[in-house]
Amino acid sequence: MLASTDLQYPIGHPTLPTGPLEMGGRTAHIAHIALLPDQLRAAVTGLKADQLDTPYRPGGWTVRQVIHHLPDSHLNSYTRFKLALTEHNPTIAPYDEQAWAELPDVAAAPPAVSLALLEALHIRWTILLRNLSAEQWQRTFYHPGSKKDFTLDQALVLYAWHGRHHVAHVTELRKRMGW
């Protein structure tokens, strides 16, 4: 990951493909999905409660919220993949990420619970991703918040980026704070 002075986007913004990915590109993005649980676990290992409750940037989420956000977000994405694979261009249900980050389970659940959930989810998701045909990668879902269709190739790139993006929030915070 590249270090950046941009606290909100430490690895930059995602760049979504406009056409089908090559197999090598897909394989690399799937590897990012597969590795995320271990990368997040390594990024947060050894943090104390006060460190977990530190925002990664002014006005940003705490490390604890980031830990719980990733399985919330990726469960939604996994479901979107399954919907796109079983329905014709389904309209997905967006959700209010900020409101979810403020629900009581985020403050009360130990980070280990979300790390375990993320690990199990990513095992299933990776199995699904590694077994899709070239045609299946071009299936779509409609996101009413962005008012656009997304191919599964685009969703793969977005969520591979999303995991690296949030791990960088934690690792960059640790560097800045000397943890």
Side-chain angles (χ1 to χ4, degrees), residues 32-103:
H32 287 297
I33 297 285
L35 293 171
L36 176 64
D38 289 339
Q39 292 169 337
L40 182 61
R41 188 178 306 279
V44 303
T45 294
L47 292 179
K48 299 177 183 88
D50 63 320
Q51 294 168 324
L52 290 170
D53 293 325
T54 302
Y56 69 86
R57 67 177 173 86
W61 286 341
T62 66
V63 173
R64 183 182 310 277
Q65 286 173 307
V66 168
I67 293 167
H68 294 305
H69 164 71
L70 279 164
D72 287 347
S73 174
H74 290 201
L75 274 165
N76 274 282
S77 182
Y78 177 68
T79 301
R80 292 168 183 177
F81 268 76
K82 292 232 177 196
L83 289 168
L85 289 166
T86 59
E87 299 177 19
H88 177 72
N89 196 39
T91 299
I92 58 92
Y95 70 102
D96 183 340
E97 294 177 349
Q98 184 62 42
W100 282 38
E102 295 169 4
L103 289 172

Side-chain angles (χ1 to χ4, degrees), residues 131-144:
N131 286 286
L132 296 182
S133 69
E135 295 78 26
Q136 287 174 311
W137 283 106
Q138 300 318 303
R139 294 192 58 95
T140 60
F141 60 82
Y142 177 74
H143 193 299

